[in-house]
Amino acid sequence: AGVLEDGLCGFRWCWIPNWLPSWCPTSQKDLQAAETRMLRCVSCSFTKHFIPVSNGCQLWTLACGGAGSRGKTPLVLLHGFGGGVGLWVQNLDALSRGRPVFAVDLLGFGQSSRPHFSKDPRRAEDQFVEAVEQWRAKVGLESMILLGHNLGGYLAVSYSIRHPGRVKHVILVEPWGFPERPDSSEADRPVPVWIKALGAVFSPFNPLAGLRLVGPLGPSLVQTFRPDLRRKFTSMFTDNTVSEYIYHLNVQTPSGEAAFKSMRGEYGWAKRPMLQRIHRLRPDVPLTVVYGSRSSIDCDAGGALKELRPYSHVEIMTIRGAGHYVFADQPEDFNQRVSQVCETVD
């Protein structure tokens, strides 16, 4: 049965990509255009470049910050699962007033290259992290403040464990992948049959496969089921700019998405929880953890970080009125708090 299942999985993914481009109303040019529309409200001067890393891959990078920011430690923004540089549109102006800011599309996401990732969770993580290190070397940053949201937070700590001399401060925004999957009786409660059935059906597929499979219905599906994403940016857009950008981000060739699938276990728990190896992070690397007061993400990981690093700087911030997308839900408060943290570095 296992061989048959593997064969079927291979069959699915060898033919689906061949017809998806014509089935899904998207292309690389559509993604570029959608991102350009997102960034039209950014007032600061910025540049956009592909930065080459290994194996012919490139990381799409947005850089902003004027002459007045020279000499300050750069802030590097790593988006979460399914994100891209355009989602920082409400933060770039404020954060770049005092220092250079770089927003990067992670390997396998956004406009960055979408290579084949290992199915081994450790090796997939290594690919993400080493791409960031190669990017840093190419850009020429001696050190940086590393801010990561969701998956980006997980990778920010993984990077800092391996390259602590390059990181002056780590800011984790609603990070994914820190706690271990509970072994308590609560975690062992019977799972409804319908949930098990759905899990069995969708487990061979990447997390966003459903969005691709509906083809031309995808853009309206994003608008219908995630109207909150549009509301987060109402101060800048009154049309479908945001939902169109998110759609085009997430129906390209699954690459980073496939890596994330390899790195997460059942019910979304990380196969390699970060709390299990946080002791490997050098004690002199300070951490700030930012949560939204209305988020469904369990904030216990922040408290666990403080307990596991008793002799290190660990600060936990909660931003009122914000959900998981803290930087978009309450951008003014978020920008102020992050700017204050960055000032302590310099």
Side-chain angles (χ1 to χ4, degrees), residues 58-60 77-85 103-115 117 128-129 131-132 149-153 155-156 255-256:
Q58 303 179 96
L59 295 190
W60 181 242
L77 308 176
L78 304 181
H79 61 77
F81 175 76
V85 299
V104 182
D105 278 348
L106 293 169
L107 187 67
F109 289 101
Q111 292 199 61
S112 290
S113 300
R114 292 176 176 252
F117 277 83
F128 278 124
V129 169
V132 174
H149 172 246
N150 185 267
L151 172 63
L155 297 175
S255 172

Side-chain angles (χ1 to χ4, degrees), residues 259-319:
F260 179 72
K261 178 180 182 293
S262 300
M263 292 164 62
R264 68 169 193 166
E266 200 172 16
Y267 307 121
W269 297 96
K271 291 181 179 177
R272 304 184 68 235
M274 193 56 67
L275 288 180
Q276 290 183 347
R277 48 199 160 116
I278 197 67
H279 63 278
R280 293 167 50 194
L281 179 62
R282 216 164 66 183
D284 61 342
V285 177
L287 293 175
T288 297
V289 191
V290 182
Y291 290 106
S293 66
R294 300 174 60 186
S295 173
S296 58
I297 297 294
D298 187 353
C299 62
D300 289 347
L305 281 172
K306 293 197 78 163
E307 292 179 8
L308 292 168
R309 292 173 64 79
Y311 304 110
S312 303
H313 175 92
V314 179
E315 182 180 9
I316 301 174
M317 296 181 177
T318 301
I319 295 184

Side-chain angles (χ1 to χ4, degrees), residues 4-68:
L4 176 61
E5 182 178 314
D6 289 342
L8 288 173
C9 293
F11 173 73
R12 286 188 186 108
W13 289 110
C14 74
W15 62 265
I16 285 181
N18 291 334
W19 54 262
L20 270 178
S22 60
W23 175 243
C24 292
T26 191
S27 67
Q28 185 66 23
K29 288 185 177 180
D30 288 329
L31 174 55
Q32 292 171 355
E35 182 191 279
T36 298
R37 291 192 294 273
M38 284 289 292
L39 296 174
R40 69 190 177 200
C41 292
V42 176
S43 300
C44 65
S45 61
F46 62 87
T47 58
K48 297 184 290 183
H49 303 282
F50 281 108
I51 304 298
V53 292
S54 62
N55 300 318
C57 292
Q58 303 179 96
L59 295 190
W60 181 242
T61 304
L62 184 152
C64 50

